[in-house]
Amino acid sequence: MVNATHNATLIEDPDLCTLDTCPMDMAQIDYVPSLAGNLIFIAVFGLVLLGQLGLGIRYKTWSYLIAMTGGLVLEVVGYVARVQMHDNPFKSDPFLMYLVCLTIAPAFLSAAVYLCLSRIVVAYGEQVSRFRARTYTTLFITCDFIALLLQAAGGGIASSADTKHLSDIGIDIMVAGVSWQVASLALFVALCTDFALRVRKSPQYRLNSQFDQLRRNKSFHYWMLALIAATVTIFIRSVFRCAELSSGFDGPLANDQITFMILEGAMISIAVISITVFHPGWVWKGQWNEAQWHVRGSRAGNNDDVYSKISLDNRLMADDRSA
C-alpha cells in the first residue's frame, strides 16, 4: 500500500522523481544531459561573454555589446539549466529554463550581425546600396524583435500551461517565432548578396573614400567572412530548432542529444567565437562610431561632404572632356 501510494504520488507530480525512483520515460527528455558537454558550452559562452565585455567597453561598440551580451547570458543560463537536468531530468523548472533561454538567445546574436550590415553599407557607400543604411537596420531589428516576441510569448505559455492543449499552443507560437527568424535570416542573406553584387559592379569613384583604408585592410575582409560564418551557423541552428519544436517535446529531434549538441551548441559556439575573434572594435580601428547613422539624419560623419566632392569631381571631369 505504501509503495502504491508512493508511485501514485510520483506519477501525479514527476517533479518529485529522481533517477533512483522513476523510469526515464517520466523525465522531461528521454536522456540524461551530458555533464561534460554542457560544462564545455558554459565555459565557451562564459569566456566569449568576458571577451565581448572587454572589447565592447574598450572600443565603445555599445549597441553591438548589448546584443551580444543578451544572447551570451541566455546561452550560459540555458546550459546551466541543462547541467541541473543532468542530476535530475524530471524537474520541469530547469527544462523550461533551458528551453526558453536557448530558443530566444540566437535572436539577440542575430541582432548583433544585423547591426554590422548598416556599417558595411556606409563603409562602401550608401549611394551604391539599394537602400539606405538605417533602412537595413530598422527592417531587420524589427524582424528580430517580432521573432523574439513570438518565441518569448510561446515559451511563457508553454511553461505555465497546465493542459496539453495550452502547451501545444505555446509550442506552435514558438515555432512561428523561430520560423520568422529563419525567414528573416534568409532575407538578410538575399539583401547582403544583392549589396555585394552592386559593390562589385560599382566604379571605384562611387565608393566612400572616408573608409578607403579600412576596406583595404585584410582584417576587414576576415571580419566579413566571420559574419558570413555566424549567419550560416545561426541559420542552420534556427532551421534545426524549428524542426525540433514542430515535432513536439516528445519528438525524436527533441530527444536526440548528439543532434542537439551539434546543431544547437556547436553551431552557436562557432558563430559567437567567429564574431568575437574578429570583433568590429579592433577591425574598424576606431571608425565604428563614425559609420553610425541617426534617426533624423543620414548618419554621423562627413559622408555628405564626400558625396558632394564626388559630384563636383565628376562635373569637373565632364568639363575637361568637353573642353
Side-chain angles (χ1 to χ4, degrees):
M1 179 66 69
V2 173
N3 287 337
T5 302
H6 176 70
N7 292 337
T9 301
L10 293 177
I11 292 173
E12 292 176 0
D13 188 3
D15 275 3
L16 299 175
C17 284
T18 66
L19 289 170
D20 295 327
T21 60
C22 295
M24 280 301 297
D25 58 9
M26 292 179 62
Q28 300 292 337
I29 50 179
D30 293 344
Y31 62 86
V32 176
S34 167
L35 179 61
N38 288 289
L39 286 175
I40 288 173
F41 285 132
I42 291 173
V44 168
F45 293 120
L47 290 172
V48 172
L49 175 59
L50 291 176
Q52 285 288 338
L53 287 171
L55 292 168
I57 293 171
R58 177 180 178 182
Y59 293 107
K60 298 180 174 57
T61 53
W62 302 121
S63 56
Y64 185 83
L65 174 61
I66 291 171
M68 289 297 297
T69 299
L72 289 166
V73 167
L74 287 170
E75 290 288 342
V76 171
V77 172
Y79 283 101
V80 167
R82 284 181 63 84
V83 168
Q84 294 175 352
M85 291 176 65
H86 170 80
D87 297 325
N88 191 339
F90 301 93
K91 288 186 174 295
S92 59
D93 287 347
F95 170 74
L96 294 172
M97 184 164 60
Y98 127 72
L99 178 70
V100 174
C101 288
L102 295 191
T103 299
I104 68 176
F108 287 90
L109 304 176
S110 297
V113 174
Y114 296 154
L115 289 171
C116 295
L117 176 58
S118 64
R119 300 309 206 286
I120 294 173
V121 169
V122 171
Y124 280 97
E126 286 187 303
Q127 74 278 17
V128 177
S129 174
R130 189 179 300 276
F131 306 106
R132 300 186 72 174
R134 64 180 176 184
T135 302
Y136 287 108
T137 300
T138 302
L139 170 64
F140 289 113
I141 293 300
T142 300
C143 288
D144 209 48
F145 177 75
I146 293 173
L148 181 62
L149 189 64
L150 288 171
Q151 292 172 36
I157 293 172
S159 64
S160 61
D162 52 7
T163 65
K164 186 179 185 304
H165 176 69
L166 193 59
S167 176
D168 289 342
I169 292 175
I171 294 173
D172 289 342
I173 295 175
M174 291 179 74
V175 170
V178 179
S179 299
W180 182 272
Q181 186 175 359
V182 170
S184 299
L185 285 165
L187 178 61
F188 178 75
V189 170
L191 290 181
C192 286
T193 303
D194 171 71
F195 177 70
L197 293 174
R198 292 173 72 89
V199 168
R200 289 191 63 181
K201 296 177 182 178
S202 178
Q204 184 65 30
Y205 69 82
R206 285 179 57 84
L207 301 183
N208 188 347
S209 60
Q210 181 181 355
F211 296 94
D212 280 348
Q213 183 59 46
L214 172 68
R215 295 196 306 271
R216 284 194 290 265
N217 290 337
K218 288 185 178 180
S219 60
F220 181 73
H221 296 280
Y222 291 149
W223 172 65
M224 289 195 291
L225 290 175
L227 290 176
I228 293 172
T231 301
V232 170
T233 50
I234 293 174
F235 182 82
I236 292 172
R237 172 266 168 201
S238 298
V239 171
F240 159 71
R241 180 64 84 167
C242 189
E244 178 194 37
L245 292 174
S246 296
S247 60
F249 295 153
D250 297 329
L253 284 177
N255 292 281
D256 187 332
Q257 178 165 216
I258 295 177
T259 302
F260 172 86
M261 299 295 266
I262 295 173
L263 296 182
E264 172 72 40
M267 291 298 102
I268 299 300
S269 295
I270 293 171
V272 298
I273 290 172
S274 298
I275 54 180
T276 300
V277 171
F278 294 98
H279 189 276
W282 73 264
V283 169
W284 282 67
K285 303 186 186 305
Q287 289 188 292
W288 175 260
N289 290 323
E290 293 179 24
Q292 185 177 0
W293 55 267
H294 295 296
V295 174
R296 293 186 178 180
S298 61
R299 56 173 187 78
N302 59 358
N303 216 37
D304 291 338
D305 295 337
V306 173
Y307 298 161
S308 298
K309 184 179 182 300
I310 290 172
S311 298
L312 177 60
D313 290 344
N314 291 341
R315 288 197 298 270
L316 291 173
M317 290 170 62
D319 292 341
D320 290 341
R321 284 194 296 269
S322 62

